Amino acid sequence: MADIVIPPHLIALESTAWAEQQAGALTVESAAAVQQAITEHAKAAKVSRYEVERELKRQVRHPES
């Protein structure tokens, strides 16, 4: 599997959504913005949306791994 590059704006969106989720305040708008950005990035990079989402969540939620 090729390395998936996650752009900073996607990390920022996911970081915001993750903070909201942890606080019990995740909004539909935040979640939708992340999903839309993931889909757009995956399409542009010609990689699986699921792989982009997995790598994004790993970088935001488990940066030590």
Side-chain angles (χ1 to χ4, degrees):
M1 174 176 71
D3 289 331
I4 296 176
V5 177
I6 305 294
H9 76 278
L10 206 50
I11 291 173
L13 282 172
E14 176 63 22
S15 295
T16 298
W18 179 235
E20 288 178 5
Q21 186 174 354
Q22 289 183 302
L26 180 62
T27 64
V28 171
E29 292 80 14
S30 292
V34 172
Q35 287 303 309
Q36 181 177 353
I38 288 170
T39 301
E40 290 171 0
H41 178 67
K43 186 175 181 181
K46 295 183 171 58
V47 295
S48 164
R49 183 183 67 77
Y50 301 105
E51 294 296 323
V52 170
E53 184 171 2
R54 184 173 69 176
E55 179 60 17
L56 175 61
K57 288 181 186 293
R58 186 197 64 76
Q59 287 186 25
V60 171
R61 299 178 185 190
H62 308 285
E64 68 284 349
S65 61

